Amino acid sequence: MAKPFQEGERLDRHVESLRLFRCEESSNDARKVLDEVFDRRTMTALYKLMSNGVIDHLDFALATGKEGNVFRATTPDGDLIALKIYRINTATFRSIATYIEGDPRFKGLSGNHRKLIYAWCTKEFKNLSRMVAAGVRVPQPIDFHENLLLMEYLGTDETAAPSLRNVELTQEEAEEFYKEIVKFIKLMYRKAKLVHGDLSEYNILVHEGVPWIIDCGQATLTDHYNANELLLRDIKNINRYFRSLDVKVKSDEEIMRLVKGVKK
Ligand SMILES: Nc1ncnc2c1ncn2[C@@H]1O[C@H](COP(=O)(O)OP(=O)(O)O)[C@@H](O)[C@H]1O
Ligand SMILES: [Mg+2]
């Protein structure tokens, strides 16, 4: 396990000593990403997770985006987990600003980008917890610290679970997936009181033959002023995608009523 980090010690030396990536081949690329993209505080936070025994080492980057990166990591017990690191920068701030506006959970934080991004990370953790409790199939959240979120890893020892977009489904599977995803939208709305807000074939992974919803940071409370619009957009995205797979989809309005439990 990593040596506890002493304030004032040189972090880069520690980071070097962490052997962040066990596999040498992926290590060069991934280390470059870490060095270029993450600030000192993020590296310190990561170090803390390691010295606290939450993570033993990182395996490789699963995805690199404008707002952050997702890595596969291994715990000291040898379990595989996913680590999402939000980048502290203006791009991240911009992309989350519209969702934060009008959300009572963010009151009083508006001026401080770093604190907002920490709050955002907490929000993704809480959203995932609420979704799990509501019976929506999402990765189990494990822990969070500042801008770092740990959750259940979806995939095999070799590769991460592919997105729905990259999986070829049989007609029967496509119909089954559609039904289940509509059910998840409804459970989210009625039980978790949340609207995902960025649902599409990109934010659904296929793991062990079934769909898993991911990327729940932006999910908003159903009483948020934008919730209806976001819900309709999610429904339209799902309908568009499954229509393209020749699934007989219900109309957007019909699903909207179904989700909200409104009679015709
Ligand atoms: N729990 C997970 N297990 C495996 N891969 C994941 C997990 N969470 C995210 N990923 C991978 O990382 C990518 C980006 O994660 P996501 O939460 O969608 O963040 P972003 O906001 O960057 O889209 C996903 O498309 C997926 O490939
Ligand atoms: Mg995504």
Side-chain angles (χ1 to χ4, degrees), residues 198 202-203 214-215:
D198 194 16
Y202 295 91
N203 281 332
I214 60 159
D215 208 356

Side-chain angles (χ1 to χ4, degrees), residues 62-63 67 70 82 84 139 151-154 202-203 205 214-215:
L62 292 168
E67 293 126 31
V70 182
K84 185 168 179 175
M151 64 187 142
E152 179 183 1
Y153 161 73
L154 307 175
Y202 295 91
N203 281 332
L205 301 186
I214 60 159
D215 208 356

Side-chain angles (χ1 to χ4, degrees), residues 165-209:
R165 188 175 181 272
N166 292 323
V167 174
E168 247 187 75
L169 302 174
T170 64
Q171 202 56 32
E172 206 178 316
E173 283 170 331
E175 276 156 28
E176 201 48 48
F177 272 48
Y178 178 66
K179 254 196 254 161
E180 203 165 30
I181 291 162
V182 170
K183 186 185 84 186
F184 290 152
I185 299 176
K186 181 170 148 185
L187 285 172
M188 251 185 238
Y189 192 91
R190 298 236 202 133
K191 290 212 168 159
K193 303 262 183 282
L194 287 171
V195 172
H196 185 283
D198 194 16
L199 201 58
S200 73
E201 62 275 26
Y202 295 91
N203 281 332
I204 298 172
L205 301 186
V206 180
H207 173 57
E208 294 177 343

